[in-house]
Amino acid sequence: ERAPAAGPWPEATGFMSENRLGFILSLGLALVIVFIYGFDSVEVTEYALNYSLVTRKVGHNTYPSGRYWIGPLNHFVKFPAILTTIQFSDSSMQADLTERGDATLKSRTRDGL
């Protein structure tokens, strides 16, 4: 009689044969959690920069609104995307601003305080 042919994996006995499926499922679940945790979103009224918790540096790319996969050890530093013009004087600084908005912002008194 011939001996059974050995496959690429040796016969698992004992602990490994009973827990191989559990190990594979646990590893898969951990990878899915890490993958999902790497997503972040930017709202319509925001821009964002990618900040790495490992290197403690901010990336050079600006992210507009949307959902992005930036990695599990990164997060967004968000900034408003709305431009607000503040005029400090009564005189018109720009000729293209024809409509008057709110009253001018007073930041100092007449005596300079």
Side-chain angles (χ1 to χ4, degrees):
E1 290 185 27
R2 287 178 62 182
W9 297 91
E11 276 301 312
T13 58
F15 178 76
M16 252 332 258
S17 66
E18 297 169 2
N19 293 319
R20 183 179 292 168
L21 180 62
F23 174 74
I24 291 172
L25 289 177
S26 298
L27 182 63
L29 181 64
L31 290 174
V32 166
I33 289 171
V34 167
F35 181 75
I36 290 173
Y37 187 69
F39 280 98
D40 203 354
S41 63
V42 181
E43 297 296 325
V44 175
T45 59
E46 296 175 329
Y47 287 111
L49 298 172
N50 185 6
Y51 177 75
S52 172
L53 295 172
V54 175
T55 62
R56 295 187 179 202
K57 292 184 180 179
V58 176
H60 296 287
N61 296 337
T62 303
Y63 293 87
S65 63
R67 184 176 304 269
Y68 301 95
W69 193 82
I70 56 173
L73 295 176
N74 295 336
H75 73 272
F76 280 138
V77 178
K78 298 177 182 177
F79 298 95
I82 300 171
L83 176 67
T84 303
T85 303
I86 300 174
Q87 185 175 347
F88 289 93
S89 67
D90 289 331
S91 64
S92 177
M93 302 276 296
Q94 295 178 342
D96 61 343
L97 295 176
T98 56
E99 70 178 57
R100 292 282 295 177
D102 297 331
T104 57
L105 178 66
K106 301 208 184 287
S107 60
R108 294 181 179 245
T109 60
R110 289 185 184 249
D111 57 349
L113 297 176

